[in-house]
Structures are given as structure tokens and as C-alpha cells.
Amino acid sequence: MSTLHLAILLPFVFVIIIPLLYKYTTAIHTGWIALIVPVVLFVYFASYFSIYDAIEPITVSVPWIPSIDIHFTLYLDSLSLLFALLITGIGSLVVLYSIFYLSKDRERLHLFYAYLMLFMGAMLGSVLSDNLLVLYTFWELTSVSSFLLIAYWYQRQRSRYGAQKAMYITMTGGFSMLLGFIILYVASGTFSIREIIAMGDTVSTHYLFIPAMFFILLGAFTKSAQFPFHIWLPDAMEAPTPISAYLHSATMVKAGVYLVARMTPIFGAQLEWSWTIIIVGIVTLFWGSFNALKQYDLKALLAYSTISQLGLIMSLLGVGSMGMNVKFENESLVFMGAFLAAIFHLINHSVFKGSLFMMVGILDHETGTRDIRKLGGIMHLMPISFTLTMIGAFSMAGLPPFSGFISKEMFFTSMLTLSENNSSWVNIIPIVAWVASIFTFIYCMIIIFKSFSGTYHANLLERVPHEAPVGMLASPATLSILAIALFLFPGLVVTSILEPTVKGMAPNVFAKHPDWHAHITAWHGLNLELFMTIGLIIIGILLFLSIEKWKTPIFSLISKRYNLNQVYDKGMINLEKFGSKVTRSYMTGSTTHYLTYIFCFLIITVLGSLLITNSFYLDMSNDSPIEWYEFVLGIATVAAAIFVLFSKSRLMSIMGIGVIGFTVSLFFVIFRAPDLALTQLVVETISTTLFLLCFYFLPKLKTSITSLKFKLTNAIIALGVGTTLTLIGLSAYGHRIFVPIAGYFNNSYQLAGAKNIVNSILVDFRAFDTMLEIVVLFSAGIGIYTLIKLRHAGRND
Amino acid sequence: MKFTDVYLQTATKILVFIIMTFSIYVLFAGHNNPGGGFIGGLITASALILLYIAFDLQSVRDIIPVDFKKLAATGVLIALLTGVASLVLNVPFLSQAYTYVDLPFLGKTELATAMIFDLGVYLAVLGTTMTIITSISEDDI
């Protein structure tokens, strides 16, 4: 148990402590207690951070279930450290922000912070785990805690809907990911990511390697809201805004990105991997940024923008992994720039998106609405909020002097690299990316200008807006400063995080180029990327100014036809309908039907296996000769049975059954079984009497005398069962392998002092059966007694 | 006024003793001849049913004041206890033993613990059968 383990367990400890303390610390906001965790952890993780050197990877392990190779192994390298710093750093800011955002008196804060700590611990565990199954455990914990947080205001119907949707989609991905992990285990024999990477070549020859890749990618795509699984994210905006800022922009949705980055050394050299990620990422980028334009709710707009930015990061990871393929051996270093861009934009996005969500929360808090049609003209009322929003949005749009500018230039470079090194149709990808960037620019402008400038509608707002308290502004201000700092001094993260991460993602490539160094600058000369940026700004401004003219016609045309939410909703409804239809089709409530299933199953399995294995066996050589009286009795039994089937009245059927019973007892006499014959005789008498009793008390209304209705299916099934059992009987009889143990019981007089073998078996050799049988008989008697005596008592209820 | 079935009642008075004696014989002969607790119990039950048919329920209950449910339970209990007894003697559950003793009048007689078990079976079968039949016949619909 190392300090790293304790660091991960700390939030879980607070999950228990916070609700306990909540009762006794009514004077202070619970958030101050919760704030301890992320701050302490941030300081702890920051102690590993140095801007001049990469950290030496640390591996610590504690056995959890060693017998099946599950160890609680933690691995801290640059990539995990980056995520840990994001989780704890933004976590601290979010907790600070939520202290001012959530009311102490109206909210159940202990639940809020307990869920938040659960999430934080799970997320830290996910990014630090080296063991695939431990990673999966934490991964599902993030899904569960996210579910709890989205439905935090569970009295709202929309919150419950959003939480359920997010749960279904991310859980589906989670299970698929587990399947992929298990295949990796089968291929490699270990659950450790390090060890799987180390034996990369042998793993990739497994025949299920490519399916495993897609299963894992499905998990990453659902978690990171990639097309077409992005639909849960806009609905998750029903969560409190600090949660949206933390989970649904900065951390949880990046778990998929983390997974892809982590798995890149294993799968990256496959072209299927690269192309899947690039195409899904680009489609998500385009679709997200396009749909963001449509939104009027600021949070929904930010949700689509998150989707789009995550698509951007994904596609960059895909482009980077192309450099690992043997096909591009000579250009591999050029492709590595995409990894650099991906990780850099990951940091940027967390920074500016967290800030933007917090600003939207402030707007909501101060004006009472998030609808851009109601907002406007509050620039002079909330100047600081305006400035902070502008920094975030400009950074997202990719304008200088903010960090987003650098990552967007690197993105363009990567996309151009991709098209240069592939066949000509790939040229479409940079163009799509460029168009998506124009959309991004437009919605960033919408965020700033539609909500802060323009005319001020005092009558539409619920309260008079004024500047937010300092405590609320502190967190977004910190993030905004960071957004500028990353532009001015990108070297803050280059040597410590970016370079070792990129080198770790493509170990084979850098084994050949050991002297490569990551290099990022804000100014990179007059090149195509810069002109693309200038072009997108000009077109973006023109389109933004004319937005009222083209927005409504285009979206009314498209959104009705291509609506994935409708696909999801109808899919869920139809799935339920289909399920109940299937269930109703066979669970009819009719015993006849159930018996039909059971008998059909018997025929199919037993007769089927008899035919398939060809084990039917008929051997008459050992059979005894048949005497004439046996013939007579046999014919009598069969005749009685047929008579029962075709008799018109029930009384006749009862008599027929009685005849069968008595002939059976005669068979026992013939086959020298006096005890059986005696018992059969008496039992048959009693049961016939009981049948007559039942017959006598039949309700008068329904006693119309009819013969049994003939049904072909029933006849076929009956014949089938009869044939099956006859064949089984004959095969089993003719095929005796073992000598019966009956010889042992011949010694009953010596062993049990009894000349009657049957009786000595019943009461001596196998008395246990007899004992339980009389218990059965006794239970039946008591059962009948209770049924009759307590019936009237039951009626009074 | 109720008709009294003199023939049936007179015949019953004789037959019941014969049937009873036969059933007891079947019970005890079971160890060495066809028979045993199960069939013995059923035959005794048939004697009692004959009584029920010939006389009315209330009279028979006055003559034989036995709660058949308790009788059945006693039978099950006896069977169980013979098993437990073998546990006490540190042999496997339900081990049976037998021995020959010289009894006055009867001479050399076999005594087997299996007999006690069979007695339990007899009582359980008798009690259960009678419980079923009396509870059905006493029921008024």
C-alpha cells in the first residue's frame, strides 16, 4: 500500500465521511469539507510535476485477487499524471465554484459531495490503473456516479430521463469494453497494460485481435460521446452546472480519449484503428459543431461543442497512430505532431470548457435563464463575466492570443499531413475539418455576443442581473489565466507532459528516433494553416452577421430528418414493445401451451440427440419369450387406454383408467411382484374412488357431455412423446453395459434377516427413501386437510 | 326416520375384525413374506372405511377416538427416531440390526429394528389415508 494507493482511496473515504459530518456541521457549507480532497490530491500530484523534466514512470502494486491475476496496480507516467492533475485541479476549482453555486439551505449537499467524491476517486482510479479489470471497475464506477449526479434533482422528469439515457449508453460501451479486455487477456495471458504492450507482436497475431480493438473502441466512443453515441451528452445537461463543467466537459468524457491514448501502443499500428478513429472523430467534430449552432440553451450549445471538440481530439489521435504503421515509416515523425496536438488540445479544452460552463452557470444564476433569446445587453452589468466568457470562447474558436489558437493550428497541420500522405479522396478530411472550424467560430461568437451584447430585455429576465460574487468568479478566472498562459508559455507542459506522453504512445517509432523533441510555439510562420485560420475568421464573421437569414431554413430542413434522439427514443419504445410482444406470444397463461413447449422440447432434445448420435439400438436376443396371458393382458391395457381416449363421458374415462390400473396390478402378479401387486390394487381403488368424488362434484353448468376434441398438433406431440420414450426404452434395454446390483440383495436374509427382498430394501437397505416418502405422504395428507378445512377461512378475507 | 342397514352393519361387525387381523398379519409378515407397513396401513384404513360406510361418522369417531393427523405424525416421527437412534450408537443414519431371541410361547423369534421402522410407515400411511378420507367426507359443499 503506497501513497499513490492512499491518494486514490482518499476520495472514497470522504464518500463516507461527508454524509456523517453533514449532520454536525450545519454552520458551514459542506463543500469546504469536500474541498480538502481535491486540493490535497492536487498538491500531491503536483509534487511529481516539473516543467523541465519528465517524471520517471512509477509502478506500485497491491494484490487484490492474485489467483486470477487481478492486482491493484497503479502506473503513474506523464499521461496519467496529466489526467490526474486535470481531475484534481479542475476538481478543486469546481468544488470551490459549487460552494457558491449551490444553496446550503435548499440542497441535499451531503449527497452532492459524496457522489462527486465517488466520481473523483473512480476517475483517478481509471486513469492510474494498470490492470485492465481494475480499470474497468473504476470505469463503471464513473458511469454510476455520473448517473447519480445527472439525476441529482431527481424530482425532475428530464433529469431522470437524461440520467437513464447516459447510463444505458455508457454501460453498453462499458460491457463491450470488458469483452475487449477479456479477449486481450486471452491473447496475452495478462491483465497488465504494460505487459500487453511489451508483448505487442504476439498479441496482434491473435485471431480476435481486431474484434477486441472494436469492442474497446466502442467503450471509448460511448464514454467520450462520439457519433452516433453522442446523444446522451446534451441530455446530461440536466445535471447541476458544476457537474456539467466537471464531468461532462473536463474529465469523464475524456476517459474515452484516455483509453484510446492508453491503448495506442497496443493497437496503433493497425490501419483499422487509425481510420476508425479518424472517421468517427471527424464526423463527430462536424456534426457536433453543426448542431451547436441550432441550440438556444447555452448549456446544450456547450454540450454539442464538447462533443465536437472531443471528436477533434479523437481524430488527432487517429492521425497520429498512422505514423506507427509500417506503411508510413518514413513520415512517422510528421504524424507524431498529431499526438502532440491531441494531448495539447486535451489540456486546452479542459481549461476553456470548464471555464465556459462555469460562466454559463453564473449567467443562469444571475439572470435566471440560459436561453440566448432572452439574454442580451448585459455586458455593462456584468463586465468581469463578459471578459472571462470572451477569453474562454475565443480560445475555443482558436483565436490568438489564447491557447486554443495553437492547438487549432496544430490540428490543421495534422489534417493536411494526413491528406498529403494518402490517396486523393482523403483531401476531403481537411476541408470538413475546416468547415467544422467555421461552425465552431460561429457558435463561439453566439456565446459571447448573443448573451452579452445587443438589446437588454429587462422584462424577460427573472431577476436584475449583477456581477457574481468573487468566490464564484475565482474558478473561471483561474482557468482563463491558464488559457492565456498556455498560449504565451506553451513550454509549461511540453517537456514534462507532451513529449514523454507522445513518446510513450508510439514506443516503436521513437526507438528509431531517440533525439526527437517536441516543439510548440505560438508563431509558426506564414503557412497554409495560418491562411486557413484567416479565411475561417472572415467567413465566420460574415456567416455570423447573417445568421438569422440561413439558420431557420437549414435546420428546419435537416433536424426533422436526421434526428438521432428520435432513433434512440423510438428504439427504446420499440424494444419494450418487442419484448412484451415476444413475452406475450408464449407466456399465454394457458397450461396447454406450456405443456406443449415442454413436450416439444423433450421430443426435440431427446429424439434429436438420439438421431444425431445415431445411438438407437435394438437387441431382442436376450428377451424372454412372451406367454399368451401376457398378450391378453397387454391387449386389455391398450384397449382400455384407447377406450379412455375416445369415451364420450368422463365416468367412462374414470372406469377405463381403473381398468388400466387393475391390469397393471395383474402384470405385477405375472411378473412375480406380490408386494407391488397388493399395493397397486389398493392404491388404484383409492384413486378411482377419489376420481369419482371429483366427478360427482363437477359444477352443473358445464357438465355437457362431449368427447375429447381432436387436435392434430396434440396428436402429433403425443405420438412423438410416445415414440421417443419407446425408442429410448428399447435402446436402453438392449444396451445393458453393467451387471445389475440386484445380486447383492439376494443376501438379504444374511444381511438384514429378511426373506422378503423388496421389504428389506424398503426398510433396511434403502430406508432413507422410504422415510422421505412417508414424509411426502404425510405432507400430502396435511395439505389436503388444510385445503379443505381452511378454505372457508380464506373466503372471509 | 333413518333406515338402518342391518345386513351391512352385522356383516361389518364381523368383517372389520377379519380385515384388521389380516392387516396386522401383513404388517408383521412383511419382513419375510409379501406385505409390509405400507400395504398393512392401507388394509387397516380400508377396515375403518368399511366402518364409516356402515355407520355414520360421529359413531365411528366415538368408538375410535383417534386424531388421525397426530397418528400420521407419530408414524413419521417413529421412522425418523429409528434413524436417529442409530446415530446415537455411532453408526450411520438409519442402520438396521436384527437378532434372534427365545421368547416364551413363541420360541425362537427374530427381532429386527427394521420392524419398528415399518411400524412407523404403517402408522403414517394409516393416519394419512384416514386424514384425507375423513376431511373429504366431513366437508360439506
Side-chain angles (χ1 to χ4, degrees):
Chain A
M1 197 56 86
S2 63
T3 44
L4 209 53
H5 285 104
L6 294 175
I8 286 186
L9 294 177
L10 181 69
F12 294 108
V13 173
F14 267 71
V15 171
I16 301 162
I17 291 178
I18 287 172
L20 287 178
L21 283 181
Y22 178 67
K23 275 186 195 167
Y24 305 108
T25 55
T26 41
I28 60 161
H29 196 285
T30 317
W32 293 113
I33 301 167
L35 189 59
I36 299 168
V37 178
V39 169
V40 166
L41 289 178
F42 183 73
V43 171
Y44 172 73
F45 283 114
S47 70
Y48 288 102
F49 182 83
S50 135
I51 59 166
Y52 299 112
D53 291 302
I55 66 159
E56 278 295 308
I58 299 166
T59 316
V60 281
S61 186
V62 168
W64 179 19
I65 315 175
S67 56
I68 48 169
D69 190 27
I70 298 180
H71 301 270
F72 189 13
T73 307
L74 299 177
Y75 181 80
L76 187 72
D77 64 349
S78 298
L79 183 65
S80 342
L81 182 65
L82 164 65
F83 270 90
L85 285 173
L86 283 178
I87 293 161
T88 52
I90 297 183
S92 314
L93 296 176
V94 162
V95 172
L96 180 68
Y97 173 78
S98 67
I99 293 171
F100 295 92
Y101 187 83
L102 291 172
S103 157
K104 185 158 76 84
D105 309 318
R106 273 172 295 164
E107 305 287 354
R108 293 152 295 126
L109 289 173
H110 56 304
L111 295 181
F112 181 84
Y113 287 108
Y115 297 160
L116 195 64
M117 290 302 116
L118 184 67
F119 171 77
M120 194 178 285
M123 196 67 207
L124 278 177
S126 297
V127 297
L128 287 169
S129 290
D130 179 52
N131 192 290
L132 286 173
L133 286 189
V134 178
L135 170 65
Y136 172 74
T137 310
F138 283 119
W139 182 278
E140 291 296 20
L141 258 183
T142 63
S143 292
V144 170
S145 51
S146 161
F147 170 80
L148 291 169
L149 283 166
I150 296 170
Y152 176 65
W153 288 310
Y154 56 79
Q155 52 280 53
R156 297 184 192 169
Q157 199 263 333
R158 292 291 309 169
S159 298
R160 298 198 301 271
Y161 171 78
Q164 196 187 37
K165 196 173 183 179
M167 183 81 158
Y168 283 153
I169 294 178
T170 53
M171 283 283 172
T172 308
F175 285 137
S176 145
M177 193 180 90
L178 177 62
L179 192 58
F181 285 172
I182 291 169
I183 296 174
L184 275 189
Y185 176 74
V186 171
S188 67
T190 173
F191 277 123
S192 163
I193 300 174
R194 295 298 113 208
E195 288 170 29
I196 295 174
I197 293 172
M199 55 172 80
D201 293 334
T202 45
V203 178
S204 59
T205 52
H206 194 263
Y207 71 105
L208 282 175
F209 183 65
I210 298 295
M213 184 180 101
F214 283 109
F215 286 134
I216 292 174
L217 272 186
L218 192 65
F221 286 166
T222 50
K223 198 78 164 182
S224 278
Q226 298 294 295
F227 188 87
F229 310 110
H230 65 273
I231 48 171
W232 66 267
L233 191 61
D235 283 301
M237 290 301 128
E238 295 299 324
T241 303
I243 296 311
S244 308
Y246 188 41
L247 272 68
H248 306 128
S249 67
T251 53
M252 188 181 91
V253 285
K254 297 217 170 65
V257 175
Y258 168 80
L259 189 71
V260 168
R262 205 24 120 210
M263 294 287 153
T264 297
I266 302 174
F267 297 108
Q270 317 292 322
L271 276 182
E272 293 93 335
W273 169 269
S274 310
W275 281 117
T276 313
I277 298 175
I278 292 172
I279 291 167
V280 170
I282 287 288
V283 170
T284 313
L285 165 68
F286 181 81
W287 192 244
S289 61
F290 180 64
N291 270 294
L293 295 177
K294 185 175 72 170
Q295 310 301 326
Y296 290 111
D297 182 354
L298 278 174
K299 262 178 105 175
L301 193 154
L302 285 180
Y304 277 106
S305 118
T306 303
I307 293 167
S308 142
Q309 303 279 316
L310 287 168
L312 187 153
I313 299 172
M314 278 287 182
S315 65
L316 281 173
L317 286 173
V319 174
S321 68
M322 282 223 154
M324 297 167 71
N325 194 278
V326 282
K327 204 173 133 192
F328 301 106
E329 216 171 352
N330 299 325
E331 299 89 12
S332 56
L333 280 185
V334 188
F335 280 110
M336 288 305 122
F339 278 151
L340 209 60
I343 305 300
F344 190 56
H345 192 66
L346 182 108
I347 304 170
N348 284 339
H349 179 252
S350 299
V351 169
F352 64 68
K353 193 52 67 68
S355 156
L356 278 174
F357 265 107
M358 292 181 194
M359 292 321 299
V360 168
I362 289 173
L363 272 181
D364 192 9
H365 212 262
E366 301 305 326
T367 63
T369 183
R370 299 194 305 249
D371 194 324
I372 53 170
R373 287 167 297 191
K374 293 182 186 167
L375 288 166
I378 49 174
M379 196 194 291
H380 58 285
L381 293 169
M382 303 169 72
I384 302 173
S385 305
F386 172 68
T387 315
L388 294 178
T389 312
M390 201 176 68
I391 294 172
F394 277 174
S395 183
M396 180 153 75
L399 300 180
F402 307 108
S403 55
F405 174 71
I406 304 177
S407 51
K408 198 190 76 263
E409 298 299 290
M410 292 164 79
F411 168 62
F412 283 155
T413 314
S414 310
M415 290 301 143
L416 291 171
T417 314
L418 175 72
S419 70
E420 275 164 22
N421 289 293
N422 277 289
S423 47
S424 56
W425 67 269
V426 183
N427 282 330
I428 199 169
I429 288 184
I431 297 170
V432 172
W434 185 69
V435 175
S437 299
I438 295 177
F439 292 148
T440 309
F441 181 82
I442 299 172
Y443 70 66
C444 290
M445 295 305 113
I446 292 177
I447 296 174
I448 305 168
F449 295 109
K450 293 280 173 185
S451 43
F452 284 99
S453 67
T455 46
Y456 173 53
H457 318 280
N459 53 332
L460 285 177
L461 299 179
E462 286 172 23
R463 41 187 103 102
V464 180
H466 58 81
E467 196 53 80
V470 179
M472 224 168 178
L473 287 169
S475 302
T478 314
L479 290 172
S480 300
I481 292 167
L482 208 54
I484 300 172
L486 281 172
F487 175 81
L488 297 176
F489 315 105
L492 281 175
V493 288
V494 170
T495 45
S496 55
I497 299 280
L498 297 179
E499 190 180 314
T501 303
V502 171
K503 283 187 172 174
M505 280 162 77
N508 293 340
V509 171
F510 289 105
K512 291 171 201 152
H513 307 275
D515 47 352
W516 181 84
H517 286 293
H519 189 61
I520 291 180
T521 45
W523 176 252
H524 45 81
L526 282 172
N527 52 17
L528 184 57
E529 293 89 321
L530 192 66
F531 290 116
M532 281 168 83
T533 306
I534 294 168
L536 86 84
I537 292 172
I538 295 168
I539 297 175
I541 290 173
L542 291 176
L543 281 173
F544 173 67
L545 292 175
S546 59
I547 193 163
E548 301 305 328
K549 285 173 196 153
W550 55 266
K551 189 177 172 182
T552 332
I554 288 185
F555 280 108
S556 61
L557 190 72
I558 290 174
S559 62
K560 271 177 201 155
R561 287 194 193 161
Y562 307 100
N563 195 334
L564 281 167
N565 282 312
Q566 266 182 15
V567 174
Y568 169 83
D569 289 336
K570 287 209 176 125
M572 292 308 269
I573 292 168
N574 286 331
L575 203 66
E576 243 170 64
K577 270 190 195 160
F578 175 74
S580 71
K581 212 178 209 175
V582 168
T583 311
R584 262 183 227 150
S585 68
Y586 69 92
M587 297 296 284
T588 52
S590 146
T591 317
T592 318
H593 288 162
Y594 300 156
L595 285 176
T596 310
Y597 308 147
I598 294 169
F599 285 132
C600 284
F601 187 77
L602 176 96
I603 296 170
I604 291 164
T605 51
V606 176
L607 197 62
S609 60
L610 201 64
L611 291 176
I612 288 169
T613 58
N614 198 19
S615 41
F616 178 70
Y617 185 84
L618 188 61
D619 181 15
M620 294 286 200
S621 58
N622 291 329
D623 293 3
S624 318
I626 305 170
E627 303 292 334
W628 63 269
Y629 44 85
E630 289 163 355
F631 261 120
V632 172
L633 270 182
I635 290 166
T637 318
V638 172
I642 292 170
F643 175 75
V644 169
L645 275 183
F646 292 97
S647 67
K648 285 213 161 37
S649 87
R650 291 199 171 85
L651 199 57
M652 286 296 152
S653 303
I654 293 168
M655 290 301 155
I657 291 170
V659 170
I660 296 175
F662 291 126
T663 44
V664 167
S665 85
L666 278 179
F667 267 119
F668 287 146
V669 172
I670 291 173
F671 293 141
R672 293 180 289 283
D675 294 86
L676 288 184
L678 268 173
T679 314
Q680 170 71 17
L681 202 65
V682 182
V683 167
E684 191 58 40
T685 314
I686 291 176
S687 56
T688 307
T689 318
L690 289 177
F691 271 131
L692 286 173
L693 199 71
C694 294
F695 171 75
Y696 184 73
F697 289 110
L698 274 182
K700 292 283 176 285
L701 282 173
K702 289 184 184 168
T703 45
S704 56
I705 295 170
T706 47
S707 62
L708 202 61
K709 270 186 230 149
F710 181 78
K711 278 189 192 149
L712 190 65
T713 46
N714 289 2
I716 292 170
I717 290 168
L719 279 175
V721 173
T723 317
T724 308
L725 294 183
T726 310
L727 288 178
I728 292 278
L730 287 174
S731 304
Y733 186 75
H735 209 74
R736 282 213 175 141
I737 301 170
F738 304 108
V739 182
I741 59 161
Y744 173 76
F745 297 117
N746 284 336
N747 304 323
S748 68
Y749 191 69
Q750 284 82 45
L751 293 167
K755 287 175 192 151
N756 183 347
I757 297 178
V758 175
N759 188 263
S760 65
I761 290 173
L762 284 180
V763 299
D764 195 329
F765 295 118
R766 311 206 51 178
F768 196 66
D769 296 357
T770 314
M771 190 188 83
L772 292 181
E773 272 155 25
I774 60 172
V775 172
V776 169
L777 197 68
F778 178 60
S779 315
I782 294 297
I784 290 172
Y785 177 78
T786 5
L787 275 179
I788 290 173
K789 296 289 173 187
L790 301 183
R791 185 184 50 190
H792 300 290
R795 271 184 199 162
N796 292 336
D797 287 347
Chain B
M1 170 181 169
K2 202 184 167 204
F3 287 98
T4 319
D5 206 332
V6 179
Y7 289 118
L8 180 61
Q9 289 186 352
T10 315
T12 301
K13 280 173 191 166
I14 302 163
L15 283 173
V16 161
F17 283 102
I18 299 172
I19 299 172
M20 283 285 201
T21 316
F22 179 63
S23 75
I24 300 295
Y25 165 75
V26 164
L27 165 66
F28 284 109
H31 214 50
N32 291 318
N33 288 305
F38 197 88
I39 187 68
L42 286 176
I43 295 173
T44 311
S46 69
L48 293 178
I49 291 166
L50 186 61
L51 274 179
Y52 278 115
I53 293 171
F55 303 93
D56 58 310
L57 279 171
Q58 196 53 51
S59 325
V60 179
R61 200 174 293 154
D62 289 343
I63 303 163
I64 313 167
V66 178
D67 185 344
F68 291 112
K69 297 189 292 298
K70 283 179 189 162
L71 195 69
T74 314
V76 174
L77 213 60
I78 288 172
L80 276 174
L81 284 177
T82 56
V84 175
S86 58
L87 280 185
V88 173
L89 297 172
N90 215 9
V91 282
F93 186 64
L94 274 174
S95 299
Q96 312 285 13
Y98 67 97
T99 183
Y100 293 94
V101 285
D102 272 315
L103 291 178
F105 308 114
L106 292 170
K108 186 186 175 192
T109 311
E110 182 195 355
L111 287 182
T113 51
M115 230 23 251
I116 307 170
F117 182 82
D118 227 8
L119 191 70
V121 174
Y122 170 84
L123 290 177
V125 170
L126 173 63
T128 306
T129 317
M130 291 317 292
T131 307
I132 294 171
I133 288 175
T134 50
S135 54
I136 290 177
S137 57
E138 282 169 13
D139 185 43
D140 47 287
I141 297 173

